[in-house]
Amino acid sequence: MYLQYLFLFSVLLAASDALVQDFCVADLSLLPGPAGYPCKKPSKVTADDFAYHGLAAAGNTTNIISAAVTPAFDGQFPGVNGLGISIARLDLAAGGVIPLHTHPGGSEILVVIQGTICAGFISSFDNVVYLKTLNKGDIMVFPQGLLHFQINSGKTPALGFVSFGTQNPGLQITDFALFKNDFPTELVAKTTFLDVAQIKKLKGVLGGTN
Ligand SMILES: *[C@@H]1O[C@H](CO)[C@@H](O)[C@H](O)[C@H]1NC(C)=O
């Protein structure tokens, strides 16, 4: 009996030995796969891998959307690799907007640090629009994969941070998918019911062709 327990114990120990890994800091010199980056050798890992200064400064909002998203995903912040968590900084100048978009990889929580943000998402099941105006300290959650947006609805710059339940949420901006590539205009018109003139106008603004 005792020997049996001993055997079982050593089997469990061997199994957990393989599973126990405190972290998997991204080795950015290698290509990521579906599960993220390969791990850096633990002997090469330092405290710097678990800290990141890249969100300290405001992003540049001098652009077409008057807004900037500064990511700290696995590609920028190697320490989050394998942990199913990440964060980004959101700067919205007055009138700024993060256009309608989705993150295929994970859900998002927004926390407003400064200013006023109108945010919303649309359910996929019945296309209900869930809208909120958020002020300093307010948070909102955006479920994985759903279309959502954020607008600075105040008169001053807005600052927020968005965290994700994934090390890399991915990003698809609806307008970019439709108007910032070579998707033939007649097919965009056919598949969206938009006017050709409107499509050409948006392609002109965003740099789309065809
Ligand atoms: C912000 O971006 C604009 C447009 O690309 C550029 O002209 C400007 O120099 C940038 N500002 C800073 C502080 O980098």
Side-chain angles (χ1 to χ4, degrees):
M1 198 61 172
Y2 172 78
L3 268 180
Q4 261 172 351
Y5 278 124
L6 194 68
F7 175 72
L8 188 66
F9 183 68
S10 48
V11 166
L12 284 174
L13 204 65
S16 67
D17 220 26
L19 290 172
V20 167
Q21 191 154 4
D22 289 335
F23 47 75
C24 171
V25 170
D27 182 344
L28 298 181
S29 72
L30 299 171
L31 286 176
Y37 285 89
C39 311
K40 240 168 123 168
K41 269 205 183 87
S43 60
K44 294 262 182 336
V45 169
T46 71
D48 285 341
D49 290 313
F50 301 107
Y52 185 56
H53 191 65
L55 304 194
N60 188 343
T61 58
T62 306
N63 54 47
I64 194 171
I65 57 172
S66 298
V69 179
T70 312
F73 303 157
D74 53 2
Q76 298 80 35
F77 186 16
V80 298
N81 189 55
L83 300 185
I85 191 170
S86 61
I87 188 164
R89 173 181 176 134
L90 214 62
D91 288 286
L92 293 152
V97 55
I98 307 295
L100 206 59
H101 65 280
T102 68
H103 304 289
S107 298
E108 167 180 339
I109 287 185
L110 163 69
V111 53
V112 178
I113 305 298
Q114 177 194 307
T116 304
I117 293 176
C118 168
F121 70 85
I122 304 162
S123 72
S124 71
F125 177 62
D126 44 8
N127 293 298
V128 175
V129 182
Y130 296 90
L131 273 182
K132 283 301 283 185
T133 296
L134 308 166
N135 294 300
K136 181 177 177 178
D138 291 340
I139 65 173
M140 183 166 177
V141 66
F142 305 88
Q144 178 167 1
L146 299 188
L147 283 164
H148 62 284
F149 63 86
Q150 286 104 8
I151 295 171
N152 182 347
S153 55
K155 293 188 165 59
T156 57
L159 168 65
F161 286 86
V162 280
S163 65
F164 297 89
T166 166
Q167 65 199 27
N168 193 334
L171 166 67
Q172 185 166 44
I173 297 176
T174 310
D175 271 10
F176 290 7
L178 292 171
F179 312 118
K180 202 185 161 90
N181 52 19
D182 61 358
F183 198 172
T185 297
E186 69 271 19
L187 293 184
V188 178
K190 191 82 182 164
T191 53
T192 63
F193 306 99
L194 292 169
D195 290 342
V196 165
Q198 178 69 49
I199 295 166
K200 287 195 164 152
K201 182 182 152 198
L202 285 164
K203 281 192 169 186
V205 172
L206 295 174
T209 58
N210 250 349

